[in-house]
Amino acid sequence: MSSPSSANVEWLARSQAAVWHPCTQMQHHANPHQPQHLPLVPVARGAGVWLYDFDGGRFLDGISSWWTNLFGHANPRINAALKAQLESLEHVMLAGFTHQPVVELSERLSALTGGTLGHAFYASDGASATEIALKMSFHYWRNRGRPEKSEFLCLAGSYHGETVGALAVTDVAIFKDAYAPLVRSAAHVLPAPDQRLAEPGETPADVARRAAAALAAWLDEHGPRTAALIVEPLVQGAAGMAMYDPEYLRLARQLCDQHEVHLICDEIAVGCGRTGTFFAHEQAEIDGRPIRPDLLCLSKGISGGYLPLSIVLCRDEIYAAFLDDSVARAFLHSHSYTGNPLACRAALATLDIFREDDILTVNRQKAQKIAAMLAPLAAHPRVRHLRQRGMIAAFDVLTDDPHFSRRFYRAALDHEALLRPIGNTVYLMPPYIIDDAGIAHLGRAIEAALAASLA
Ligand SMILES: *Cc1c(COP(=O)(O)O)cnc(C)c1O
């Protein structure tokens, strides 16, 4: 990291004094003499994969600013689309009114699901999308005369957001335990198909089948009371990039159909090409065709990492269950900025880039280069479970140091990279525009940060 200039120091001091930062023990920023101390990084601007501080210091954004950025900071095409949108309509309420960006975005997302998810509901953040999907499922069953279907299923280690409602289906103790008395307990946690749980001789598909058997057993008994199963397809992000075989999704789809249970795919992190297909669930097939969820949550990358936007896509059959003369049978959920035109425009510009630049094909080559860069780590004595799915790569580090994550993060900053391990899991989730030089840069930063934090 560059030596702090007066501008850097000023902004970090003022931020510390006035801003309550998320996901942070603020005490760790406060006292430079504490062993756990972490400096705040003031960012003056971003360009491409790089973030710049006020002093010429720079950091390669190896985790896409919390998994949101797809095509770089200050992307000229998204910037131009937003400037044009600003000149025509910045915002209008979406109850009783509509506009071009929200219509086009809904049409295009539905088309990307092969037309199976015909309607799009809008909010601003991922946790709200989770809550919308849960409420829609519950209310659907009520409208269909099945109010007893009111319970939800999620997987061990699942993360679906941190609002009080979303915490019901989030299984990450550090985020949930303090609020346990507030959280609705009508969610059951099932074994995860995490491929790291393979017994000797077991393949990832075997682990998936084992986890699906637990789902089957639960549904045999509780299916009639279950509204929905919610999953992060293929990669459980906040669990530490826990990856699993598509076989689990295939079996879960069949079991949900058998037991009349909705399958909610939370693709907030894994959607938008992250795992190699536009939607992660497409890697699970039945009869040669991709499975489809009943409800699909999107956020993070969908706006290119530009603006808060989340979307829940649903089957038309679900939508139809809310049509009635009675207002009480309608889905009355609303947020002030629902369907914001600027955010929808950023999403449309993002989808344009996917199409015009054939991003899924280009990413396949980049993913191979990332794999080649990381491959030598497999021989590192402290590295376990080197794994990758598309543009997400991760490995676990054997260490007893409770501060490993923080030490690695700091060391990576010293080597001009933003990498923020989850516990002992180091992961890469770079913007798709990263080039060979950027991949090599991350490789050097990982090597150096590993050496420094294991010393
Ligand atoms: C980030 C995330 C969320 C929550 O989104 P927010 O916008 O942070 O509320 C939900 N689910 C998954 C899988 C996520 O990665």
Side-chain angles (χ1 to χ4, degrees):
M1 214 174 343
S2 55
S3 63
S5 75
S6 56
N8 269 351
V9 168
E10 183 193 333
W11 284 113
L12 80 80
R14 282 171 63 181
S15 194
Q16 233 157 256
V19 181
W20 196 339
H21 292 267
C23 207
T24 299
Q25 173 48 269
M26 291 300 290
Q27 174 94 3
H28 292 162
H29 285 314
N31 183 354
H33 304 297
Q34 222 191 18
Q36 298 174 21
H37 175 250
L38 272 185
L40 265 173
V41 183
V43 172
R45 65 189 182 88
V49 295
W50 293 98
L51 296 166
Y52 296 90
D53 68 12
F54 288 84
D55 188 31
R58 60 172 200 166
F59 313 96
L60 198 154
D61 191 350
I63 60 166
S64 296
S65 285
W66 261 353
W67 322 348
T68 59
N69 191 290
L70 302 188
F71 300 122
H73 297 277
N75 182 286
R77 285 143 87 183
I78 303 176
N79 284 7
L82 280 175
K83 283 175 191 160
Q85 184 61 43
L86 261 180
E87 296 301 326
S88 55
L89 179 66
E90 82 299 333
H91 184 64
V92 64
M93 61 191 282
L94 199 65
F97 292 81
T98 193
H99 52 82
Q100 192 183 343
V102 80
V103 173
E104 284 180 9
L105 181 57
S106 306
E107 290 171 350
R108 285 174 68 176
L109 289 173
S110 174
L112 285 168
T113 69
T116 51
L117 307 184
H119 279 81
F121 194 95
Y122 287 81
S124 313
D125 58 75
S128 297
T130 295
E131 300 213 3
I132 287 163
L134 298 181
K135 284 175 70 178
M136 266 183 190
S137 174
F138 169 81
H139 201 164
Y140 168 90
W141 293 116
R142 214 171 78 132
N143 281 351
R144 286 276 185 244
R146 313 269 302 273
E148 72 284 359
K149 286 179 91 65
S150 61
E151 289 168 25
F152 297 103
L153 299 175
C154 61
L155 297 179
S158 58
Y159 181 94
H160 300 289
E162 289 172 61
T163 53
V164 171
L167 276 178
V169 289
T170 284
D171 182 48
V172 179
I174 189 98
F175 299 137
K176 185 168 183 172
D177 284 359
Y179 311 101
L182 305 182
V183 176
R184 188 165 184 268
S185 58
H188 179 72
V189 180
L190 289 162
D194 185 344
Q195 67 194 32
R196 291 174 298 182
L197 301 174
E199 307 280 353
E202 261 191 334
T203 64
D206 293 333
V207 181
R209 282 187 279 272
R210 194 147 47 78
L215 169 62
W218 181 267
L219 287 177
D220 275 341
E221 201 172 328
H222 304 272
R225 291 210 308 277
T226 305
L229 162 69
I230 183 166
V231 296
E232 296 160 84
L234 300 186
V235 184
Q236 296 184 282
M241 301 301 156
M243 300 188 183
Y244 64 88
D245 194 276
E247 178 72 356
Y248 185 80
L249 298 173
R250 206 176 67 76
L251 295 170
R253 176 68 277 178
Q254 287 173 336
L255 288 165
C256 285
D257 284 342
Q258 275 165 29
H259 292 273
E260 296 184 289
V261 166
H262 289 141
L263 176 62
I264 303 172
C265 284
D266 173 351
E267 299 229 6
I268 290 167
V270 296
C272 302
R274 215 12 112 174
T275 68
T277 41
F278 190 81
F279 298 120
H281 68 255
E282 294 172 290
Q283 292 179 45
E285 295 188 342
I286 294 177
D287 297 332
R289 292 171 53 197
I291 65 150
R292 296 296 176 190
D294 302 292
L295 294 150
L296 174 64
C297 302
L298 294 174
S299 189
K300 290 200 166 104
I302 190 61
S303 72
Y306 264 67
L307 286 159
L309 176 68
S310 64
I311 304 161
V312 178
L313 296 170
C314 76
R315 288 186 190 272
D316 282 333
E317 209 257 314
I318 292 178
Y319 172 78
F322 291 80
L323 300 175
D324 194 88
D325 287 338
S326 152
V327 173
R329 286 173 66 104
F331 195 63
L332 298 181
H333 191 101
S334 62
H335 295 284
S336 311
Y337 283 101
T338 290
N340 174 259
L342 287 166
C344 291
R345 180 58 69 195
L348 286 167
T350 298
L351 294 181
D352 286 343
I353 295 175
F354 267 101
R355 197 163 54 188
E356 288 160 16
D357 293 6
D358 194 9
I359 293 298
L360 294 178
T361 304
V362 175
N363 276 3
R364 263 194 285 281
Q365 290 145 17
K366 292 196 182 179
Q368 279 172 11
K369 289 180 176 170
I370 291 170
M373 176 274 281
L374 291 173
L377 280 172
H380 192 291
R382 308 282 284 275
V383 168
R384 293 290 182 277
H385 299 298
L386 180 60
R387 57 195 180 274
Q388 186 172 355
R389 174 94 44 194
M391 294 295 277
I392 308 175
F395 57 88
D396 302 341
V397 176
L398 275 182
T399 169
D400 298 330
D401 179 1
H403 305 309
F404 167 78
S405 166
R406 218 169 285 137
R407 292 181 65 189
F408 185 99
Y409 167 77
R410 261 204 95 152
L413 286 178
D414 288 339
H415 292 86
E416 300 188 320
L418 165 49
L419 294 168
R420 206 170 183 268
I422 299 171
N424 291 355
T425 299
V426 175
Y427 71 93
L428 289 182
M429 210 156 153
Y432 302 162
I433 54 154
I434 193 165
D435 60 8
D436 292 358
I439 292 170
H441 179 92
L442 286 179
R444 287 189 299 272
I446 288 172
E447 198 182 334
L450 263 185
S453 53
L454 292 176

